[in-house]
Amino acid sequence: MDPYLEGQSIWPDVHNALIAAIRDTLGPLLRPSYYVRLEQRTYLAEPGGLEFFGRPDINVVRDDGGKRYSTSPSGSGPIEVSIPVPDFVRETYLKVRAVGSGEVITVLEVLSPSNKLPGRGRRRYLDRRLRVFESLTHLVEIDLLRAGPRMPLEGPKVTSDYRVLVSRADRRPKADLYGFGVRDSIPTFALPLRRGDKEPKVDLGAILHAQYERAAYDLSLDYRGEPVPPLSGDDRGWTHELLLSAGLR
């Protein structure tokens, strides 16, 4: 996994393109019993990263002439301020459906920052996640973001930068968790379907790397700086040496 793809400016493109690439890869493999569709949900998100620790009684501002003066909230003149403005968030995901009945067999999610960071987006996602767990639908949850708290799980504590969760409806509450780091190969997993049907292998690494080439992400990524969030310890040194050898630093 390239940690530079997690940057705020490029991740929306990575996310949407990866979802579409997984659909295009699975479509021919699922014929003739299943088809896969890209679906979208939209919601009004809370402003992120804004916290109010109280308001001062007196504000000191500067006028155009450089003169400093104080303005009280109770004064006669208005003070220009900024307010937190919510925004619409659009998230894409996949549903695998049975041909004929249209029954949803599997939901595949690639997590976005709004799913992981505290707020309305995470709460809504966790509610949908729980509804899938209570149904007969399989869930594949792909987390390629190091920032933000992990999705809740029970059992052994797994420490990893990235993870893929495969939750089969007929095995719940048990599930398979693939954890991996920056220096590891991205795992391949079987897409859960109806019992007895052949399950295609999803080579997530190959899909993502092919997308990287098609989108020419290397032309817009600045490998001279640190990724966000920054790497630490051995991962940082390993990445530095890799970029040096590739002539990117």
Side-chain angles (χ1 to χ4, degrees):
M1 178 62 192
D2 184 340
Y4 288 83
L5 295 178
E6 302 170 54
Q8 183 178 6
S9 62
I10 198 170
W11 176 253
D13 186 273
V14 175
H15 180 274
N16 292 328
L18 179 58
I19 286 285
I22 295 174
R23 177 202 58 188
D24 295 344
T25 300
L26 290 177
L29 303 177
L30 294 173
R31 297 175 63 93
S33 300
Y34 305 93
Y35 60 91
V36 59
R37 292 292 180 265
L38 189 153
E39 305 205 10
Q40 180 176 273
R41 54 180 170 256
T42 304
Y43 60 90
L44 192 64
E46 301 167 3
L50 292 177
E51 294 182 279
F52 295 93
F53 297 100
R55 181 181 59 178
D57 292 329
I58 299 294
N59 295 313
V60 178
V61 297
R62 180 183 296 275
D63 67 7
D64 291 340
K67 179 182 177 181
R68 299 179 67 85
Y69 60 93
S70 298
T71 305
S72 169
S74 60
S76 58
I79 303 172
E80 184 177 281
V81 298
S82 296
I83 60 173
V85 179
D87 195 8
F88 281 101
V89 174
R90 293 175 175 82
E91 296 176 343
T92 52
Y93 61 102
L94 296 179
K95 285 185 177 179
V96 177
R97 296 180 180 269
V99 171
S101 67
E103 177 187 359
V104 179
I105 306 300
T106 306
V107 172
L108 189 149
E109 298 270 4
V110 177
L111 297 184
S112 65
S114 60
N115 300 147
K116 297 190 65 181
L117 299 178
R120 183 179 300 167
R122 181 178 178 88
R123 294 194 299 269
R124 288 174 64 96
Y125 177 76
L126 289 176
D127 286 343
R128 288 189 298 269
R129 187 180 192 249
L130 185 58
R131 288 197 295 269
V132 174
F133 287 158
E134 294 172 342
S135 73
L136 297 178
T137 302
H138 309 301
L139 174 68
V140 175
E141 184 180 80
I142 300 172
D143 184 358
L144 300 179
L145 297 169
R146 290 173 295 125
R150 300 300 177 191
M151 291 296 123
L153 294 174
E154 296 182 358
K157 183 178 180 181
V158 178
T159 302
S160 62
D161 292 323
Y162 313 107
R163 51 184 59 188
V164 176
L165 177 72
V166 180
S167 172
R168 297 175 179 272
D170 54 350
R171 288 193 60 222
R172 292 188 184 120
K174 303 297 183 183
D176 295 325
L177 180 66
Y178 301 82
F180 58 103
V182 172
R183 291 178 284 169
D184 301 319
S185 298
I186 300 176
T188 297
F189 59 90
L191 182 75
L193 298 173
R194 284 173 170 166
R195 181 174 294 182
D197 286 351
K198 183 178 180 181
E199 298 182 344
K201 298 290 186 180
V202 182
D203 190 341
L204 184 61
I207 295 172
L208 184 59
H209 294 158
Q211 174 190 331
Y212 183 101
E213 294 299 326
R214 289 194 302 270
Y217 288 140
D218 59 304
L219 300 182
S220 58
L221 292 173
D222 183 6
Y223 287 108
R224 295 168 297 179
E226 293 296 323
V228 178
L231 298 169
S232 60
D234 294 340
D235 288 339
R236 183 177 185 179
W238 178 84
T239 301
H240 176 68
E241 293 299 326
L242 184 66
L243 294 173
L244 278 179
S245 64
L248 296 174
R249 279 190 176 175

